[in-house]
PDB file of all heavy atoms in Angstrom:
ATOM      1  N   ASP A  97     -24.631  23.990  29.107  1.00  0.00           N
ATOM      2  CA  ASP A  97     -24.142  24.565  30.360  1.00  0.00           C
ATOM      3  C   ASP A  97     -24.382  23.621  31.530  1.00  0.00           C
ATOM      4  O   ASP A  97     -23.544  23.473  32.416  1.00  0.00           O
ATOM      5  CB  ASP A  97     -24.837  25.907  30.630  1.00  0.00           C
ATOM      6  CG  ASP A  97     -24.411  26.981  29.638  1.00  0.00           C
ATOM      7  OD1 ASP A  97     -23.244  26.944  29.209  1.00  0.00           O
ATOM      8  OD2 ASP A  97     -25.246  27.820  29.289  1.00  0.00           O
ATOM      9  N   LEU A  98     -25.555  22.973  31.532  1.00  0.00           N
ATOM     10  CA  LEU A  98     -25.849  22.016  32.590  1.00  0.00           C
ATOM     11  C   LEU A  98     -24.862  20.845  32.545  1.00  0.00           C
ATOM     12  O   LEU A  98     -24.355  20.399  33.579  1.00  0.00           O
ATOM     13  CB  LEU A  98     -27.283  21.502  32.455  1.00  0.00           C
ATOM     14  CG  LEU A  98     -27.695  20.389  33.434  1.00  0.00           C
ATOM     15  CD1 LEU A  98     -27.580  20.867  34.866  1.00  0.00           C
ATOM     16  CD2 LEU A  98     -29.106  19.909  33.125  1.00  0.00           C
ATOM     17  N   ALA A  99     -24.564  20.356  31.341  1.00  0.00           N
ATOM     18  CA  ALA A  99     -23.617  19.253  31.203  1.00  0.00           C
ATOM     19  C   ALA A  99     -22.231  19.659  31.690  1.00  0.00           C
ATOM     20  O   ALA A  99     -21.540  18.877  32.363  1.00  0.00           O
ATOM     21  CB  ALA A  99     -23.566  18.795  29.750  1.00  0.00           C
ATOM     22  N   LYS A 100     -21.820  20.877  31.364  1.00  0.00           N
ATOM     23  CA  LYS A 100     -20.513  21.354  31.823  1.00  0.00           C
ATOM     24  C   LYS A 100     -20.458  21.455  33.341  1.00  0.00           C
ATOM     25  O   LYS A 100     -19.434  21.159  33.958  1.00  0.00           O
ATOM     26  CB  LYS A 100     -20.191  22.702  31.177  1.00  0.00           C
ATOM     27  CG  LYS A 100     -19.890  22.623  29.690  1.00  0.00           C
ATOM     28  CD  LYS A 100     -19.583  24.005  29.126  1.00  0.00           C
ATOM     29  CE  LYS A 100     -19.233  23.922  27.641  1.00  0.00           C
ATOM     30  NZ  LYS A 100     -18.961  25.262  27.062  1.00  0.00           N
ATOM     31  N   GLU A 101     -21.558  21.877  33.957  1.00  0.00           N
ATOM     32  CA  GLU A 101     -21.594  21.962  35.415  1.00  0.00           C
ATOM     33  C   GLU A 101     -21.484  20.584  36.054  1.00  0.00           C
ATOM     34  O   GLU A 101     -20.840  20.408  37.085  1.00  0.00           O
ATOM     35  CB  GLU A 101     -22.885  22.644  35.862  1.00  0.00           C
ATOM     36  CG  GLU A 101     -22.930  24.129  35.553  1.00  0.00           C
ATOM     37  CD  GLU A 101     -24.250  24.747  35.974  1.00  0.00           C
ATOM     38  OE1 GLU A 101     -25.089  23.999  36.517  1.00  0.00           O
ATOM     39  OE2 GLU A 101     -24.437  25.952  35.749  1.00  0.00           O
ATOM     40  N   LEU A 102     -22.116  19.586  35.420  1.00  0.00           N
ATOM     41  CA  LEU A 102     -22.105  18.243  35.994  1.00  0.00           C
ATOM     42  C   LEU A 102     -20.707  17.634  35.990  1.00  0.00           C
ATOM     43  O   LEU A 102     -20.349  16.882  36.905  1.00  0.00           O
ATOM     44  CB  LEU A 102     -23.082  17.343  35.231  1.00  0.00           C
ATOM     45  CG  LEU A 102     -24.563  17.653  35.406  1.00  0.00           C
ATOM     46  CD1 LEU A 102     -25.408  16.738  34.522  1.00  0.00           C
ATOM     47  CD2 LEU A 102     -25.000  17.493  36.867  1.00  0.00           C
ATOM     48  N   VAL A 103     -19.916  17.919  34.957  1.00  0.00           N
ATOM     49  CA  VAL A 103     -18.585  17.317  34.856  1.00  0.00           C
ATOM     50  C   VAL A 103     -17.475  18.288  35.244  1.00  0.00           C
ATOM     51  O   VAL A 103     -16.304  18.023  35.006  1.00  0.00           O
ATOM     52  CB  VAL A 103     -18.334  16.781  33.428  1.00  0.00           C
ATOM     53  CG1 VAL A 103     -19.325  15.686  33.084  1.00  0.00           C
ATOM     54  CG2 VAL A 103     -18.416  17.904  32.399  1.00  0.00           C
ATOM     55  N   ASP A 104     -17.829  19.392  35.856  1.00  0.00           N
ATOM     56  CA  ASP A 104     -16.828  20.351  36.294  1.00  0.00           C
ATOM     57  C   ASP A 104     -16.014  19.761  37.453  1.00  0.00           C
ATOM     58  O   ASP A 104     -16.533  19.003  38.274  1.00  0.00           O
ATOM     59  CB  ASP A 104     -17.508  21.656  36.726  1.00  0.00           C
ATOM     60  CG  ASP A 104     -16.497  22.763  36.958  1.00  0.00           C
ATOM     61  OD1 ASP A 104     -16.139  23.451  35.998  1.00  0.00           O
ATOM     62  OD2 ASP A 104     -16.071  22.929  38.130  1.00  0.00           O
ATOM     63  N   ARG A 105     -14.732  20.113  37.510  1.00  0.00           N
ATOM     64  CA  ARG A 105     -13.861  19.578  38.564  1.00  0.00           C
ATOM     65  C   ARG A 105     -14.336  19.963  39.959  1.00  0.00           C
ATOM     66  O   ARG A 105     -14.058  19.270  40.939  1.00  0.00           O
ATOM     67  CB  ARG A 105     -12.428  20.087  38.359  1.00  0.00           C
ATOM     68  CG  ARG A 105     -11.681  19.430  37.224  1.00  0.00           C
ATOM     69  CD  ARG A 105     -11.346  17.976  37.548  1.00  0.00           C
ATOM     70  NE  ARG A 105     -10.606  17.844  38.774  1.00  0.00           N
ATOM     71  CZ  ARG A 105      -9.279  17.936  38.872  1.00  0.00           C
ATOM     72  NH1 ARG A 105      -8.569  18.172  37.785  1.00  0.00           N
ATOM     73  NH2 ARG A 105      -8.672  17.792  40.028  1.00  0.00           N
ATOM     74  N   SER A 106     -15.059  21.075  40.053  1.00  0.00           N
ATOM     75  CA  SER A 106     -15.547  21.497  41.361  1.00  0.00           C
ATOM     76  C   SER A 106     -16.762  20.696  41.817  1.00  0.00           C
ATOM     77  O   SER A 106     -17.208  20.830  42.949  1.00  0.00           O
ATOM     78  CB  SER A 106     -15.903  22.990  41.326  1.00  0.00           C
ATOM     79  OG  SER A 106     -16.956  23.224  40.393  1.00  0.00           O
ATOM     80  N   ASN A 107     -17.323  19.867  40.935  1.00  0.00           N
ATOM     81  CA  ASN A 107     -18.494  19.062  41.270  1.00  0.00           C
ATOM     82  C   ASN A 107     -18.118  17.579  41.208  1.00  0.00           C
ATOM     83  O   ASN A 107     -18.064  16.994  40.116  1.00  0.00           O
ATOM     84  CB  ASN A 107     -19.641  19.364  40.289  1.00  0.00           C
ATOM     85  CG  ASN A 107     -20.770  18.355  40.434  1.00  0.00           C
ATOM     86  OD1 ASN A 107     -21.076  17.902  41.540  1.00  0.00           O
ATOM     87  ND2 ASN A 107     -21.376  17.982  39.323  1.00  0.00           N
ATOM     88  N   PRO A 108     -17.854  16.935  42.319  1.00  0.00           N
ATOM     89  CA  PRO A 108     -17.410  15.533  42.301  1.00  0.00           C
ATOM     90  C   PRO A 108     -18.557  14.529  42.259  1.00  0.00           C
ATOM     91  O   PRO A 108     -18.310  13.329  42.306  1.00  0.00           O
ATOM     92  CB  PRO A 108     -16.651  15.409  43.633  1.00  0.00           C
ATOM     93  CG  PRO A 108     -17.377  16.353  44.547  1.00  0.00           C
ATOM     94  CD  PRO A 108     -17.858  17.507  43.683  1.00  0.00           C
ATOM     95  N   LEU A 109     -19.811  14.980  42.149  1.00  0.00           N
ATOM     96  CA  LEU A 109     -20.947  14.057  42.232  1.00  0.00           C
ATOM     97  C   LEU A 109     -20.911  13.011  41.121  1.00  0.00           C
ATOM     98  O   LEU A 109     -21.008  11.807  41.375  1.00  0.00           O
ATOM     99  CB  LEU A 109     -22.267  14.839  42.182  1.00  0.00           C
ATOM    100  CG  LEU A 109     -23.535  13.979  42.185  1.00  0.00           C
ATOM    101  CD1 LEU A 109     -23.614  13.134  43.433  1.00  0.00           C
ATOM    102  CD2 LEU A 109     -24.784  14.847  42.037  1.00  0.00           C
ATOM    103  N   VAL A 110     -20.770  13.469  39.864  1.00  0.00           N
ATOM    104  CA  VAL A 110     -20.767  12.534  38.748  1.00  0.00           C
ATOM    105  C   VAL A 110     -19.563  11.597  38.845  1.00  0.00           C
ATOM    106  O   VAL A 110     -19.661  10.393  38.576  1.00  0.00           O
ATOM    107  CB  VAL A 110     -20.774  13.287  37.405  1.00  0.00           C
ATOM    108  CG1 VAL A 110     -20.702  12.318  36.241  1.00  0.00           C
ATOM    109  CG2 VAL A 110     -22.024  14.155  37.292  1.00  0.00           C
ATOM    110  N   GLY A 111     -18.415  12.131  39.236  1.00  0.00           N
ATOM    111  CA  GLY A 111     -17.228  11.300  39.405  1.00  0.00           C
ATOM    112  C   GLY A 111     -17.430  10.240  40.469  1.00  0.00           C
ATOM    113  O   GLY A 111     -17.015   9.085  40.307  1.00  0.00           O
ATOM    114  N   ARG A 112     -18.086  10.608  41.569  1.00  0.00           N
ATOM    115  CA  ARG A 112     -18.350   9.630  42.634  1.00  0.00           C
ATOM    116  C   ARG A 112     -19.262   8.514  42.130  1.00  0.00           C
ATOM    117  O   ARG A 112     -19.032   7.337  42.415  1.00  0.00           O
ATOM    118  CB  ARG A 112     -19.013  10.329  43.827  1.00  0.00           C
ATOM    119  CG  ARG A 112     -18.097  11.197  44.665  1.00  0.00           C
ATOM    120  CD  ARG A 112     -18.787  11.560  45.961  1.00  0.00           C
ATOM    121  NE  ARG A 112     -18.021  12.508  46.750  1.00  0.00           N
ATOM    122  CZ  ARG A 112     -18.393  13.749  46.988  1.00  0.00           C
ATOM    123  NH1 ARG A 112     -19.517  14.211  46.448  1.00  0.00           N
ATOM    124  NH2 ARG A 112     -17.655  14.545  47.734  1.00  0.00           N
ATOM    125  N   VAL A 113     -20.304   8.892  41.413  1.00  0.00           N
ATOM    126  CA  VAL A 113     -21.249   7.891  40.904  1.00  0.00           C
ATOM    127  C   VAL A 113     -20.540   6.919  39.966  1.00  0.00           C
ATOM    128  O   VAL A 113     -20.714   5.695  40.052  1.00  0.00           O
ATOM    129  CB  VAL A 113     -22.431   8.578  40.188  1.00  0.00           C
ATOM    130  CG1 VAL A 113     -23.315   7.539  39.497  1.00  0.00           C
ATOM    131  CG2 VAL A 113     -23.257   9.385  41.188  1.00  0.00           C
ATOM    132  N   MET A 114     -19.721   7.443  39.069  1.00  0.00           N
ATOM    133  CA  MET A 114     -19.018   6.598  38.110  1.00  0.00           C
ATOM    134  C   MET A 114     -18.032   5.676  38.808  1.00  0.00           C
ATOM    135  O   MET A 114     -17.971   4.475  38.527  1.00  0.00           O
ATOM    136  CB  MET A 114     -18.297   7.482  37.089  1.00  0.00           C
ATOM    137  CG  MET A 114     -17.729   6.717  35.913  1.00  0.00           C
ATOM    138  SD  MET A 114     -19.037   6.017  34.902  1.00  0.00           S
ATOM    139  CE  MET A 114     -18.081   5.010  33.781  1.00  0.00           C
TER     140      MET A 114
END
Side-chain angles (χ1 to χ4, degrees):
D97 291 327
L98 175 60
K100 290 180 178 179
E101 289 178 1
L102 291 176
V103 298
D104 190 87
R105 285 290 304 274
S106 62
N107 169 36
L109 177 60
V110 177
R112 286 193 186 113
V113 172
M114 190 67 188

